[in-house]
Amino acid sequence: MNCLVPRFLQGRFLTGLLLAYCTGVALCLLITPTPQAALILLLLSLLPGFLCALLKIDIRPALLLLGVVLGLFLCAQQMHALASCAFPENQPLVLEGRMQGGTVETENGGYRLTLKISSVDQKSWSCAPVYVYSEGAPPTPGSLLRITGVAYTSSSKGNDNAFDYYKYLQNQGIGATFYAEKDGVEVIQPGSIWSAAYLAGWLRRSLDQAFASLSTEHRALVRGVFLGDKSGLDQEQRNVLGLTGIAHAFAVSGLHIGYVVLLAT
């Protein structure tokens, strides 16, 4: 079996590549390069690999360098996307974008969706996905939406010991929260029933219907076990899972793929 994999990609070298990638991420957090500078570094880091291949010398050092720069590049892209979500607060905005995945039921009977923004107030916009809270009938997963409402991006807290929701969102790759006005969600184009987002939404709805008698907290746990979806877990549940050492059960794995196949058939 090992003969099918190049020798330099076996054993400790894979660990070295992972460490090189993590080093790049840490370096990005330290020097905060612009995405353009990180892209230039990434392109330049390809040259040593080509030279090693042409000269037929050990390519592993060049791959380690590429791992470092790749970690720096991807981290820089994510930081830029999060920083681009600095919307003006308490001002009406009109967002357009594609809904990612399905919706999550909120405690007040509404729903939350994840939106990948393409424009703000009819101006082209690129940033990290945002959470949108609204009420009424949720749109079809994967739909193209126009949403009118107010953004919230503040990182201020009432006291130092309070839960930092802003930091939590950033750790989830979410740039801001957006609260839609009443009837402020307009479907420009419904999502296709053949899309992965629609299938994910169907699975969530099926689970919610099957376990409708459970509390909101228990339904969040069911989603986590069956779909690897941890978005509905509150901070207390996450802490308990981490302390008990069973958080790995909520990671997307072959087990969840098996559940998907079973539910689909």
Side-chain angles (χ1 to χ4, degrees), residues 5 16 40 57 73 75 79 87 97 111 116 123 138 142 167 175 183 205 240:
V5 181
I40 293 174
I57 59 177
F73 170 75
C75 181
M79 291 176 63
F87 305 111
Y111 62 87
K116 181 60 177 176
K123 296 179 181 179
K167 184 176 181 180
D183 300 325
R205 290 194 301 273
V240 171

Side-chain angles (χ1 to χ4, degrees), residues 11-29:
R12 296 179 180 177
F13 185 69
L14 286 177
T15 303
L17 279 177
L18 178 60
L19 291 175
Y21 179 85
C22 294
T23 300
V25 173
L27 186 61
C28 176
L29 296 175

Side-chain angles (χ1 to χ4, degrees), residues 46-224:
L46 297 174
L47 295 179
F50 287 122
L51 291 176
C52 290
L54 289 175
L55 299 176
K56 297 182 179 180
I57 59 177
D58 191 357
I59 198 174
R60 287 178 294 181
L63 290 178
L64 289 174
L65 174 63
L66 180 60
V68 172
V69 181
L70 182 62
L72 184 144
F73 170 75
L74 294 178
C75 181
Q77 293 292 325
Q78 180 67 7
M79 291 176 63
H80 176 72
L82 290 171
S84 299
C85 289
F87 305 111
E89 296 188 14
N90 300 320
Q91 296 183 20
L93 296 173
V94 179
L95 309 183
E96 290 188 10
R98 182 76 60 177
M99 178 179 169
Q100 295 183 332
T103 58
V104 176
E105 183 181 352
T106 57
E107 295 181 355
N108 62 357
Y111 62 87
R112 187 196 74 204
L113 60 86
T114 304
L115 186 73
K116 181 60 177 176
I117 297 175
S118 59
S119 70
V120 177
D121 290 339
Q122 299 183 341
K123 296 179 181 179
S124 180
W125 200 282
S126 178
C127 68
V130 300
Y131 278 160
V132 176
Y133 290 87
S134 186
E135 299 179 352
T140 305
S143 297
L144 183 63
L145 305 175
R146 179 181 294 115
I147 302 176
T148 304
V150 177
Y152 177 77
T153 59
S154 176
S155 59
S156 61
K157 298 186 295 179
N159 59 74
D160 293 337
N161 295 324
F163 173 62
D164 193 338
Y165 184 62
Y166 179 76
K167 184 176 181 180
Y168 165 77
L169 288 180
Q170 288 198 321
N171 291 337
Q172 301 297 314
I174 302 298
T177 53
F178 193 83
Y179 295 90
E181 297 177 349
K182 184 178 180 180
D183 300 325
V185 177
E186 176 187 352
V187 178
I188 301 175
Q189 180 183 15
S192 170
I193 62 173
W194 305 109
S195 67
Y198 188 91
L199 175 60
W202 174 80
L203 287 172
R204 288 186 175 90
R205 290 194 301 273
S206 299
L207 285 175
D208 286 341
Q209 292 174 3
F211 298 99
S213 59
L214 297 179
S215 65
T216 302
E217 292 80 4
H218 289 165
R219 285 202 301 273
L221 290 173
V222 169
R223 282 185 173 184

